[in-house]
Amino acid sequence: MQRLRSSVFSATNLKKKYLNSRAAIQDTFFSTKDTFERHRVVFTVGTSIASVATAWFGYSLRHLHDTKVDQRLQSIENAVKSNSNLQHAEIKDIVAGSGGCSIPACVATAGTSLVIGYALGWRGGIWYATKKFRKEQMKMLGQITPRRWQLLGKVTTQDGYILNLPRIRVGELRGPPVLLQHGLFMDGITWLLLPSKQSLAFLLADNGFDVWVANTRGTKYSRQHTTLPPNSSDYWNWSWDELVAYDLPVTVKYVHDLTGQKLHYVGHSQGTLVALAAFSQDQLLNILRSAALLSPIAYVGQMTSPLAKNAAENFIAESLYNFGVFEFNMRGVSVIKLLKDLCNNTGIDCTNLLTSFTGPNCCLNPSIVNVFLDHEPQSTATKNMIHLSQMIREGTTSMFDYQNEDENIKHYGQPSPPEYDMTRIPNDLPLFLSYGGADALSDVKDVQRLLEILKDHQADKLVVQYRNDYAHADYVMGENAYRDVYEPLISFFRLQ
C-alpha cells in the first residue's frame, strides 16, 4: 500500500514537472514569436546581412586554405620531379582531399554560415528591440525629446515633492486632455510597456487626445524634493492620504490650467483609490470631464491576494518601519527577506510573485512581463504600505491611523481617523469602471460593495464593464486589453 502511494505521488510530481516544462516551452515560443513579429523587418534584414557576412568570411578562409594547399603542392611537385616523372595534375589527384570544395564540405560550410548568420541577426534584433524600450525610458527621463512628446515636465506639490509629468501628442489635437495615473509599485512607464498599437497612452494620442502621464512621488522619475534627499526618513513620511491631498490636485490643476480644458482621468489600482477618495471630498469635480477606473479600489477587506493579505495580517510593513526601513523597495534586501520568510512560513507559492500578488492574469505576453520586471516594481513609502494594510485588516477606507489617540487628535482633531465617505461621490460624475473576475487585489466582492454605493448614480453617467478572465495586471499589460477595455473606454470618453 505504501509503495502504491509513493508511485502515485511520483506520478503526480512527474505530471507537474511535465506541465511546468510544457508551459515554459510555450512561453519561450510565444515570447520569441511576439518579439519577431514586432520587429520583423529588423530581424529579416539583420539575419540576411549577418548570413552574407558569415558566408563571405567562411569562403575567405576557404580561399586562404586553397592558396596554402597550392603552395604545398608546388613544393611537393618540385621535390618529386627530382625523383620521378609525376606531373602536377597527378600530384593534385593524390592530395585532392586537401584542396577544392567537395559537395559535403560546401553544404557544411553554407549550413554553418546560415546558422551562425541567423544567430547573429537574431541577437541583433533582440538588441534593437531592447534599445527601443530603453529609448522610451529615456524619453520619460527627459533625455530625448521626440516629435510626438512634449516634456513640459515637472510640477511641485505643496509639501515639496517634484513630480515628472510628460505629455504625449500626435499632430493636431482633436480631443481634450487625458491624465493617466498608475498604480502601486508602478510608474508612468507602465502605460508604455505594450506596443504602440496596444498601449493605452499611444492609442489615446493617436485618436487625437492630449495625453499626460503622471508619476507618483518616490517613483524613479519623481524622486526629487525641494529640500529633502530621497534617503532621508522625512522624504518617505507619507501615505496615499498625501497623494489625495497634494499629488493628484496639483497634477490635475496643472494640466487644466495649461490646456485651458477640463480633462478625462484614467486610474489603475491605487490610481483609482486616490481618485475616489478625492471625489468623496468634492475635489477636482469642476475641472474633470469624466473618470475611467481600471481595477477600481475603494475597499480591500475582501482581498484574496495571498501575498498581500498575509503581509497585512502579519504586520510586515509595520515591522519594516520599526526596523527603520522607511522606503518600501521590493528589490531591497530587508523587504525580500521578510517576503521570503512570509512565503516559507505560510505555505504561499511565491515562485511566481506577480501571480501571488495580483491573481492569475489571463493575457500577459511573457516578453512584456520580462520588460515589466526589468523596470518595476517601483518604491513606495513603508507608511503607505501600513495604511493599505490597515484597510485590509479593518475593511474600511479611512485616513492613516497613527494607532495613538493623541496623534490622531493632533492630525485630525478627533481620536480616530476620519473615513472617506464614498456615498458622497456625485451621482452625475461620468464614470467608466472595469473590473476582473480573477483580480486578487481589486476583488469582485469589494468592487460590488462600491457598485452598491453607486446604485443611484445617473444611468447615462455610469458604465460598468466586467471581464471574467482579467486579473490586476491585465488592465495595463494585457495584449488583448486594447480591444477588450481600451476601445470601449475611448468610446466612452468621446461621449463626454
Side-chain angles (χ1 to χ4, degrees), residues 9-37:
F9 186 72
S10 299
T12 303
N13 282 341
L14 287 173
K15 182 179 179 182
K16 184 177 180 181
K17 289 180 179 180
Y18 165 74
L19 292 174
N20 289 340
S21 300
R22 182 181 178 185
I25 293 171
Q26 287 177 333
D27 284 352
T28 303
F29 170 76
F30 287 117
S31 175
T32 302
K33 180 174 177 290
D34 176 70
T35 304
F36 176 78
E37 288 177 349

Side-chain angles (χ1 to χ4, degrees), residues 10 43 94 118 133 149 162 165 198 235 237 248 262 291 340-341 354 357 367 382 387 446 462 471-472:
S10 299
F43 284 119
I94 296 172
Y118 268 82
F133 173 68
W149 288 69
I162 301 171
L165 186 63
Q198 300 174 9
Y235 178 91
N237 185 25
L248 186 60
K262 290 185 176 183
K340 283 183 177 179
D341 290 343
L354 189 62
F357 188 59
S367 62
T382 304
H387 193 177
D446 284 322
L462 178 63
H472 207 68

Side-chain angles (χ1 to χ4, degrees), residues 383-398:
K383 183 178 179 181
N384 188 39
M385 297 303 296
I386 294 174
H387 193 177
L388 293 169
S389 298
Q390 292 173 353
M391 291 176 60
I392 295 171
R393 290 192 297 265
E394 298 166 14
T396 58
T397 306
S398 303

